[in-house]
């Protein structure tokens, strides 16, 4: 037992010795001693950068007051001056000037360093490192290159170095640009390994400039370039921008009232110079309000309101419009155009010959008294023309369904359809679709709805009429169109969905009546869906109906003749007739 007690006592003494730290008064305080755990650079490091900050890390927090020039000493050929900081477990020494190349430095952390309990570093900690050779910065490329010609007048001059530089050494004293002996004013900036000289104003055309990087330009180790770097370049000829196209073009007519006017340049322009002062639109002496935008090489003017119909407008791009080099167009660019006259009807092209066109679905007759004074057509096969004949062929007629076509019938094969007749039908559909678009609200805006969708009982003068609800009806009486003595008067009716003429019953048929010189050829119906004309039979409809999804006349079994003085053109669906007479306008 006595031997065991002796061993325990010896262990306690050994632990006390290991964990104790000597104090200045040679008393012992139980606890951990400060120890250096790492350094940067590490002991024996070579090729250390000349702008190295020396960092020493300890195992515990120290008394900051003990980290100073007396306890953190850096020595080369002599003791270095610098600033010492301490944070967390780390002490740093930042030299006042860069280290010398090819030099060995010794760092001593003395026993004056103590922790917060007063425990001192047990012995001086010493480590060494060596710096590398001086690396000389050089200019490795420039823009413009030496002796380059045709340089843009708004050129930013650039010099690229082989290593990071001290940005504070790159300024208007070390990076200069001259024209002869005249110094060009500008701003010098630095990013990455690139120095940039941005002239305050554009350079002069056809002129030699000399750029210089002086030996005042230094790298991060404070090493300057070996000698002034000098290069020259020559600017190019001033190229004035010009307008190469406009929309509308000069003297164009029939321009839409909601037209966005554009002008395209032959080079990129300065967007800040394309505005309502440099891009204007006038009708006579009246300036049109609008918004000016610029994208790519195109300037656009969007009128705030629809343009006046049948009016002459003048658009102008003034000399205030400049390219990116600050060069103006040589003179104001002026062009004129005339807006559309809404009273001018669409061009039906080859579709004008058709009394009925059944898209790709065909044309059908039910009755023995159907007559089309004109031609009919479909892009479908000939078998989808039923109950008709022309002077050359019969198309699926029966004793109860016989219809006369005084013109021709055009379809796809098989016989009597041919490739030639199919080509005519195809072109007819193209022309009908173009006419349909040309009388749409998008192309002819501004239509009114005087009867809230009901046209019966109204007398209308020439103009554009658009259903607010999306449908037009003629059910409360006949519709009268008054040309007021103008044989060229045009009416355009626009409905987003359906058109219905007439109501049920023996006396339900309704008609369109033309007075004072009005002509069927000048009346047009834009129908977004389908049109139904006098389902009870009878009545006289007037005008060219262009419907997306079919036109139907009367109802099977009606013997009363229904008349259309115009055309029934369906872009997609079929046209169906029951004892109907269609007279194609001339």
């Amino acid at each position: 037992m006595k031997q065991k007690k002796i061993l325990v006592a010896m262990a306690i003494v050994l632990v006390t010795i290991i964990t104790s730290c000597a104090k200045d008064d040679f008393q012992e305080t139980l606890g951990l001693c400060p120890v250096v755990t790492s350094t940067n650079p590490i002991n024996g490091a070579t090729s250390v950068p000349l702008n190295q900050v020396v960092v020493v890390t300890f195992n515990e927090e120290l008394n900051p007051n003990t980290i100073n020039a007396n306890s953190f000493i850096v020595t080369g050929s002599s003791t270095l001056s610098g600033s010492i900081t301490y944070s967390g477990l780390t002490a740093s020494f930042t030299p006042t000037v860069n280290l010398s190349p090819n030099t060995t430095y010794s760092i001593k952390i003395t026993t004056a360093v103590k922790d917060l309990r007063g425990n001192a570093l047990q012995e001086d900690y010493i480590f060494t490192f060596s710096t590398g050779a001086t690396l000389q910065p050089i200019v490795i490329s420039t823009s413009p290159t030496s002796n380059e010609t045709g340089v843009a007048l708004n050129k930013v001059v650039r010099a690229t170095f082989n290593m990071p530089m001290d940005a504070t050494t790159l300024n208007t004293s070390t990076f200069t640009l001259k024209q002869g002996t005249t110094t060009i004013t500008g701003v010098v900036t630095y990013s990455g390994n690139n120095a940039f000289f941005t002239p305050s104003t554009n350079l002069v055309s056809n002129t030699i400039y000399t750029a210089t990087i002086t030996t005042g330009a230094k790298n991060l180790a404070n090493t300057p370039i070996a000698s002034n770097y000098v290069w020259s370049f020559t600017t190019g000829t001033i190229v004035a921008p010009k307008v190469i196209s406009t929309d509308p073009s000069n003297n164009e007519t029939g321009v839409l009232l909601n037209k966005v006017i554009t002008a395209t340049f032959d080079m990129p322009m300065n967007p800040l110079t394309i505005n309502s002062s440099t891009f204007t639109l006038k009708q006579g002496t009246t300036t049109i309000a609008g918004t000016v935008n610029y994208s790519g090489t195109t300037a656009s003017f969007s009128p705030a309101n629809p343009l006046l119909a049948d009016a002459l407008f003048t658009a102008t791009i003034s000399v205030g419009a400049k390219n990116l080099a600050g060069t103006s167009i040589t003179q104001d660019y002026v062009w004129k155009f005339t807006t559309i006259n809404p009273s001018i009807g669409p061009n039906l092209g080859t579709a004008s010959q058709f009394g009925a066109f059944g898209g790709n679905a065909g044309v059908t007759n039910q009755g023995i008294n159907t007559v089309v004074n004109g031609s009919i057509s479909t892009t479908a096969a000939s078998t989808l023309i039923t109950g008709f004949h022309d002077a050359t062929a019969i198309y699926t007629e029966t004793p109860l369904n016989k219809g006369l076509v005084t013109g021709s019938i055009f379809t796809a094969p098989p016989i009597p359809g041919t490739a030639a007749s199919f080509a005519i039908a195809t072109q007819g559909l193209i022309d009908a679709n173009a006419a349909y678009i040309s009388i749409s609200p998008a192309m002819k805006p501004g239509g009114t709805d005087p009867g809230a969708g009901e046209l019966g009982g109204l007398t209308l003068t020439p103009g554009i009429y658009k259903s607010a609800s999306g449908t037009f009806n003629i059910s409360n009486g006949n519709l009268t169109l008054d040309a007021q003595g103008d044989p060229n008067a045009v009416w355009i009716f626009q409905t987003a969905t359906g058109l219905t003429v007439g109501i049920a019953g023996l006396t339900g048929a309704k008609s369109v009546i033309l007075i004072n010189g009005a002509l069927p050829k000048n009346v047009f119906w834009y129908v977004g869906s389908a049109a139904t004309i006098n389902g009870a039979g009878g009545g006289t409809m007037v005008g060219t109906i262009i419907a997306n999804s079919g036109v139907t006349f009367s109802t099977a079994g009606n013997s009363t003749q229904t008349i259309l003085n115009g055309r029934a053109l369906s872009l997609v669906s079929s046209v169906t007739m029951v004892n109907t007479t269609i007279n194609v306008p001339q």
Side-chain angles (χ1 to χ4, degrees):
M1 176 64 76
K2 182 177 180 181
Q3 184 178 7
K4 184 176 180 180
K5 289 182 178 179
I6 293 172
L7 291 173
V8 170
M10 291 177 65
I12 293 172
V13 170
L14 179 60
V15 169
T16 301
I17 293 173
I18 293 173
T19 59
S20 66
C21 293
K23 297 185 67 179
D24 290 344
D25 57 6
F26 300 101
Q27 296 176 350
E28 292 187 346
T29 300
L30 190 63
L32 295 174
C33 303
V35 175
V36 174
T37 60
S38 65
T39 65
N40 184 23
I42 63 174
N43 185 37
T46 59
S47 298
V48 172
L50 304 187
N51 61 339
Q52 177 70 47
V53 174
V54 181
V55 178
V56 178
T57 302
F58 298 87
N59 66 323
E60 63 172 321
E61 190 173 354
L62 302 178
N63 181 346
N65 294 327
T66 67
I67 307 298
N68 51 51
N70 295 319
S71 62
F72 194 154
I73 304 167
V74 180
T75 305
S77 55
S78 60
T79 300
L80 262 66
S81 63
S83 60
I84 298 173
T85 58
Y86 177 75
S87 176
L89 303 179
T90 301
S92 300
F93 178 91
T94 304
T96 303
V97 295
N98 281 343
L99 305 177
S100 300
N102 294 318
T103 300
T104 297
Y105 287 87
S106 176
I107 294 83
K108 179 190 291 187
I109 307 298
T110 74
T111 57
V113 171
K114 297 181 179 180
D115 64 15
L116 297 176
R117 294 182 301 275
N119 297 319
L121 191 71
Q122 292 299 287
E123 59 182 358
D124 292 347
Y125 186 92
I126 300 172
F127 65 102
T128 63
F129 63 83
S130 300
T131 55
T134 301
L135 293 178
Q136 196 89 42
I138 59 174
V139 176
I140 58 175
S141 67
T142 64
S143 178
T145 58
S146 183
N147 298 318
E148 183 175 337
T149 59
V151 175
L153 305 188
N154 63 338
K155 182 67 179 179
V156 174
V157 183
R158 172 181 56 81
T160 301
F161 297 88
N162 65 329
M163 64 180 65
M165 301 293 286
D166 182 349
T168 63
T169 69
L170 290 163
N171 48 56
T172 53
S173 296
T174 59
F175 191 168
T176 63
L177 183 65
K178 290 187 176 184
Q179 190 270 304
T181 59
T182 302
T183 298
I184 306 302
T185 60
V187 176
V188 174
T189 55
Y190 178 77
S191 178
N193 290 354
N194 301 298
F196 302 92
F197 184 98
T198 304
S200 301
T201 59
N202 282 342
L203 304 179
V204 179
S205 63
N206 296 319
T207 301
I208 297 175
Y209 288 86
T210 300
T212 302
I213 303 291
T214 75
T215 55
K218 300 178 180 180
N219 65 10
L220 296 177
N222 204 38
T223 303
I225 63 174
S227 60
N228 289 353
Y229 188 91
V230 182
W231 76 105
S232 298
F233 58 87
T234 304
T235 52
T237 303
I238 293 177
V239 178
K242 59 183 178 181
V243 177
I244 56 175
S245 67
T246 63
D247 182 20
S249 58
N250 190 32
N251 296 321
E252 184 174 337
T253 59
V255 175
L256 299 178
L257 306 186
N258 61 345
K259 182 68 176 179
V260 175
I261 295 88
T262 64
T264 300
F265 299 87
D266 64 340
M267 64 181 67
M269 302 293 286
N270 180 349
L272 298 179
T273 68
I274 308 296
N275 50 53
S276 56
S277 296
T278 58
F279 192 169
T280 59
L281 182 66
K282 290 187 176 183
Q283 194 268 307
T285 58
T286 302
T287 299
I288 305 302
T291 303
V292 175
N293 291 294
Y294 179 77
S295 177
T297 57
T298 300
S300 61
F301 181 98
S302 301
N305 300 294
L307 301 177
L308 184 66
D310 196 24
L312 178 66
F313 289 84
T314 301
T316 303
I317 303 290
S318 77
V319 293
K322 300 178 180 181
N323 65 11
L324 296 176
T327 305
S328 302
I329 61 174
T330 56
Q331 60 185 9
D332 289 354
Y333 188 91
V334 181
W335 74 104
K336 301 176 184 293
F337 60 87
T338 303
T339 49
I340 191 169
N341 183 345
S343 66
I344 299 176
N347 180 7
L348 294 172
T350 62
S352 64
Q353 64 185 305
F354 302 128
F357 191 97
N360 192 41
V363 182
T364 300
N365 166 53
Q366 299 177 13
I368 60 174
N369 294 319
T370 293
V371 178
V372 177
N373 291 306
S375 298
I376 66 174
S377 181
T378 179
T379 56
S382 60
T383 52
L384 292 183
I385 297 287
T386 60
F388 286 101
H389 66 274
D390 60 12
T392 61
I394 296 173
Y395 293 75
T396 323
E397 285 188 334
T398 69
L400 297 179
N401 301 314
K402 292 183 178 181
L404 171 63
V405 177
T406 63
S408 299
I409 299 175
F410 301 97
T411 73
I415 296 294
T418 64
S421 68
F422 176 64
I424 293 172
T426 300
Q427 186 59 52
L429 178 59
I430 293 172
D431 292 344
N433 190 67
Y436 177 76
I437 293 172
S438 72
I439 61 172
S440 67
M443 301 300 284
K444 289 190 180 296
T448 60
D449 190 356
E454 175 58 61
L455 299 175
L458 299 179
T459 297
L460 300 178
T461 56
I464 299 174
Y465 299 92
K466 177 185 176 184
S467 170
S469 64
T471 61
F472 267 140
N473 297 311
I474 304 176
S475 59
N476 290 347
N478 296 327
L479 168 63
T480 300
L481 304 181
D482 183 359
Q484 298 179 323
D486 180 6
N488 296 315
V490 171
W491 290 261
I492 296 175
F493 296 90
Q494 302 164 337
T495 168
T497 54
L499 167 64
T500 302
V501 179
I503 58 175
L506 297 177
T507 61
K510 300 295 182 269
S511 298
V512 175
I513 300 171
L514 304 181
I515 63 173
N516 296 323
L519 298 173
K521 69 177 183 179
N522 293 331
V523 180
F524 299 90
W525 301 84
Y526 170 93
V527 182
S529 182
T532 300
I533 311 300
N534 286 322
T540 299
M541 181 62 180
V542 171
T544 297
I545 304 168
I546 311 180
N548 184 71
S549 305
V551 183
T552 300
F553 294 88
S554 190
T555 306
N558 286 334
S559 59
T560 305
Q561 201 74 7
T562 301
I563 299 172
L564 169 64
N565 293 322
R567 304 173 183 86
L569 308 179
S570 173
L571 304 179
V572 177
S573 303
S574 63
V575 175
T576 301
M577 296 174 245
V578 177
N579 292 321
T580 300
T581 298
I582 296 180
N583 300 307
V584 177
Q586 300 300 316

